[in-house]
Amino acid sequence: MTEQEFLDLLARYKHGKLSGAEMQQFAQAVADGTFDDLVKEDVLKTLHEPKVSGKKGILRILTVRRYKVAAAVVAGVVAGGLSFLLLTRHSRQADITARRNVEADFPPGSHKAVLTLADGSVVELDSTGAVIPAQGNAIAQASGGQLHYQGGSSGPESLYNTLRTPRGGQYKIKLADGTQVWLNAGSSLRFPIQFHKGERTVELKGEAYFEVAKDAARPFRVKAGKMDVAVLGTHFNVMAYENEETIQATLLEGAVNVMAGNEQQRLAPGQQASMPASGHIAVKEVDVEEAVAWKNGLFIFQDAGITTIMRQIERWYDVEVEYEGAPKDIQLNGEVYRSYNLSQVLAVLKAAGLQFKIEGKKVVIIS
């Protein structure tokens, strides 16, 4: 492939006009390292240009308010002796491995989940929907990647259902009170099929974004590990994966109270409460776009370490990640579409200095 042919593919890629075969050819050319200088130039240009709606680069442009942070991190990494953007040369065997990596591809996640009913029966859900057996007088319907509960009463005792998304899956649910919940990959939500008087309580493992229906008489409570989040009606994200260092609650709209043991903190929009496995609740201002990026079809990395990034990739692409040696101590900034195949995401990370090989369903990071 000539430089001009590569630039033509790059230009068409930015406008979303590559065919499947062309996309594979383009990703392979990036992984090969033949056009390292052109890739580096594009990434640098992308980092410094204003954001243009609908335009894509090898590394999707950071928003203006993120730019100063990104520039500082780039400078810090270069000063530390490891360029954030400089592509390094490797042995012939490494190049062969890179070409094979493009062929060993994995598609992005999709709408899929498993619903466990109160009687223990299980219903498989996907984007086409499913038939949900009756439970009391409540009605549940599944279609278009969404589960919807409405009407009825479950009687004097609440009947609980559990919605679980596997790695490589996500799903949306509308609860009986009108609250909407987006469930990220590798997560579960336990909830009553009908809320009675008093609190509306659900239990979360993993990550979910909530748009809570307002009801002053019935506060909404999310139990996530050692953290409880109580609201009346608001928009917020909760991340409580067991393999993450902290539980995080991020508020986008309204107000929430975050509780853990005898501690309680009230959040304002734009704030995030985080709590490690053993420690106290800490509150800070954050960019909420990063917290809900997964819901909006993006990976957004701000000062993100390799292990943090790869945990997200494990969940979304349903792969295992291992490390040959200690992971590189670098922090990355940027945005990548979650609709990309794994090879495309790894090509972006390769442009940031990450080296890898794929063995079956395992991604091995080479330090």
Side-chain angles (χ1 to χ4, degrees), residues 47-64:
L47 282 169
H48 288 80
E49 281 184 344
K51 188 173 183 178
V52 179
S53 177
K55 183 178 179 181
K56 295 186 287 187
I58 297 292
L59 182 65
R60 194 167 178 266
I61 184 65
L62 304 179
T63 62
V64 173

Side-chain angles (χ1 to χ4, degrees), residues 32-52:
D32 282 345
T34 306
F35 303 102
D36 283 356
D37 291 340
L38 295 179
V39 172
K40 176 184 175 183
E41 181 181 347
D42 182 81
V43 174
L44 286 169
K45 185 178 180 181
T46 302
L47 282 169
H48 288 80
E49 281 184 344
K51 188 173 183 178
V52 179

Side-chain angles (χ1 to χ4, degrees), residues 28-222:
Q28 180 171 324
V30 173
D32 282 345
T34 306
F35 303 102
D36 283 356
D37 291 340
L38 295 179
V39 172
K40 176 184 175 183
E41 181 181 347
D42 182 81
V43 174
L44 286 169
K45 185 178 180 181
T46 302
L47 282 169
H48 288 80
E49 281 184 344
K51 188 173 183 178
V52 179
S53 177
K55 183 178 179 181
K56 295 186 287 187
I58 297 292
L59 182 65
R60 194 167 178 266
I61 184 65
L62 304 179
T63 62
V64 173
R65 64 180 174 178
R66 296 194 191 108
Y67 169 72
K68 291 182 179 179
V69 175
V73 172
V74 171
V77 173
V78 172
L82 176 63
S83 174
F84 173 61
L85 298 171
L86 182 60
L87 299 175
T88 56
R89 297 297 180 184
H90 294 274
S91 66
R92 177 180 177 84
Q93 182 58 45
D95 289 336
I96 293 173
T97 300
R99 285 192 287 273
R100 289 174 178 169
N101 288 342
V102 176
E103 298 172 0
D105 208 354
F106 296 90
S110 60
H111 295 297
K112 55 186 175 183
V114 175
L115 178 66
T116 302
L117 306 181
D119 63 1
S121 58
V122 173
V123 180
E124 300 279 347
L125 305 175
D126 57 25
S127 59
T128 62
V131 176
I132 311 298
Q135 301 177 87
N137 296 321
I139 299 173
Q141 299 175 325
S143 63
Q146 177 174 332
L147 181 61
H148 184 193
Y149 285 77
Q150 59 183 350
S153 173
S154 60
E157 293 186 6
S158 294
L159 297 178
Y160 282 83
N161 286 183
T162 301
L163 182 66
R164 292 183 176 86
T165 52
R167 296 204 312 183
Q170 65 180 29
Y171 220 78
K172 180 181 177 182
I173 178 172
K174 188 173 184 179
L175 301 176
D177 67 334
T179 292
Q180 298 185 84
V181 185
W182 287 257
L183 202 60
N184 202 356
S187 303
S188 69
L189 184 75
R190 183 175 182 268
F191 57 93
I193 63 173
Q194 184 69 28
F195 294 103
H196 296 300
K197 294 181 180 179
E199 284 188 345
R200 298 170 288 167
T201 301
V202 300
E203 299 173 26
L204 172 69
K205 293 181 180 179
E207 183 169 22
Y209 172 76
F210 295 82
E211 292 188 355
V212 177
K214 294 183 178 180
D215 187 342
R218 296 187 299 174
F220 193 94
R221 183 183 297 269
V222 179

Side-chain angles (χ1 to χ4, degrees), residues 239-304:
M239 191 273 288
Y241 286 110
E242 291 182 354
N243 65 342
E244 295 290 348
E245 295 179 354
T246 61
I247 300 174
Q248 298 174 350
T250 307
L251 181 63
L252 283 77
E253 179 183 309
V256 301
N257 290 325
V258 178
M259 296 157 286
N262 296 324
E263 284 189 89
Q264 179 170 313
Q265 296 280 356
R266 187 175 182 86
L267 299 186
Q271 291 185 325
Q272 180 183 86
S274 61
M275 187 182 71
S278 58
H280 300 284
I281 299 173
V283 177
K284 63 180 180 180
E285 301 285 337
V286 297
D287 184 347
V288 296
E289 289 182 18
E290 181 183 6
V292 298
W294 66 271
K295 171 184 170 290
N296 298 325
L298 289 169
F299 294 109
I300 294 183
F301 307 128
Q302 294 194 61
D303 300 346

